[in-house]
Structures are given as structure tokens and as C-alpha cells.
Amino acid sequence: MVVLISNEQITQVGNINCNIQHAIFDWEEKTQGLLLSGFYYGYFCTQILGGFLALKFGSKWVLGIGLLSTALLTFLTPIITRTGGSTWLFILRIVEGMGEGPTMPALAHMMARWIPPHERSILSAIIFGGGQFGNIFGPIISGILLDKARDWAYVFYFFGAFGLFWFTLWSLLCYSEPNEHPFISKKESYT
């Protein structure tokens, strides 16, 4: 791994010459693996709780608050990384995972409420395919931001802001149950 601490150094990463302006952290592969896996430790721990909360309080807020917490913690990632190092970043990643863990059970609960049984297979494929869309375009957008901003922290600020924007729309436009929606008739609501 290439690690530079000073400004404006040129280095070669693979076959590409890179102009690095900001610090890159010198973490061993083991540390990098722990940092990447920390999210999933937290994510795993809150799956069952997420299903319970979705049943008790409704899917809208369980899913929404889970993703809101991830967006807010994404804003903190550069600050925690620069001030607290890998240990605090690992803890932050676990907490991010704990916030997002309830989202899949809440999404499944919401889909069961909103999607008629005869349409569930195709709409589920579209919904879960959207997640893969994010996995494809997230790194592309990150690369563009890194190229333009020249500071890795802006990637986290962008996705944190996008999460806040999403949560605002979600709060205004989403309902846990079809019968809660003000514009859906009894005929449209199959529940």
C-alpha cells in the first residue's frame, strides 16, 4: 500500500501516476479488513431487532431512521478517522452497521404490506436490483468526487448529504401501510 503524509507528492499506484494532496492512512491489511468488516458485525446484531421494531412501530420509521443514522455517521467518518484513528473508526463502522441492520427486515415488512402477492416476485427483483445499482455507481461517483475535490472526505460528505436528502423525501412521501396513505383508495389497497 502507498502511504503519503505530505502535500503535493506524485506517486505511482499500479500503472497510474497520482497527485496526492492529503494524507492516506498507513493501515496493515488486517486493520483494513477489520475496518471493512466492522459494519457487518453491527449489521448482523440488529437484524432480528429490526423485524420486531418494524412490526411494532411500522416499517417507515425503522427503515428511515436506520438509513438516517448511517447518513449522519457517514458525515462523522472523516472526522473520526483523522482524530481517533483506526480504533474509533472501527467502532463507528460497527455503530453504522447497527443503524442499518434493521433496514432489510423493515423493507421486507414494507414490501409485504405494499406489494400485492401476484406482483411480489418482479417488484422484489426491481427493488433489490436497485441496491446493486448503488454498488455499481457508488464507486464511480466516488472516483469522480475524488478527482474533482482532491480530498477523500468529500466522498463521505456527499453520500451523507445524499442520505439526508433521501430521508427528507422518505419522511414526506412514504407510509408504512397503504391504508395510511392519504391518496390511496380502499379499492387500491389490498390489505
Side-chain angles (χ1 to χ4, degrees), residues 11 14 36 85 124 135 145:
T11 190
L36 291 172
S124 295
N135 290 337
L145 289 170

Side-chain angles (χ1 to χ4, degrees), residues 70-172:
T70 305
L72 294 173
L73 293 171
T74 298
F75 276 117
L76 292 177
T77 300
I79 297 163
I80 295 295
T81 304
R82 288 178 173 146
T83 60
S86 62
T87 301
W88 283 102
L89 180 58
F90 179 69
I91 293 167
L92 176 75
R93 299 274 299 154
I94 291 172
V95 175
E96 277 181 320
M98 290 174 74
E100 200 159 321
T103 59
M104 279 300 142
L107 178 61
H109 182 261
M110 183 169 272
M111 289 167 49
R113 298 290 189 254
W114 275 92
I115 303 173
H118 64 281
E119 295 177 7
R120 282 193 187 140
S121 60
I122 187 71
L123 289 176
S124 295
I126 292 169
I127 290 166
F128 290 116
Q132 300 311 312
F133 180 82
N135 290 337
I136 293 167
F137 286 99
I140 293 171
I141 292 168
S142 297
I144 292 168
L145 289 170
L146 285 169
D147 183 53
K148 302 296 181 199
R150 302 279 187 207
D151 185 357
W152 62 270
Y154 287 105
V155 173
F156 292 90
Y157 300 144
F158 173 81
F159 285 109
F162 186 81
L164 293 178
F165 174 72
W166 175 89
F167 178 76
T168 302
L169 291 178
W170 181 260
S171 298
L172 296 172

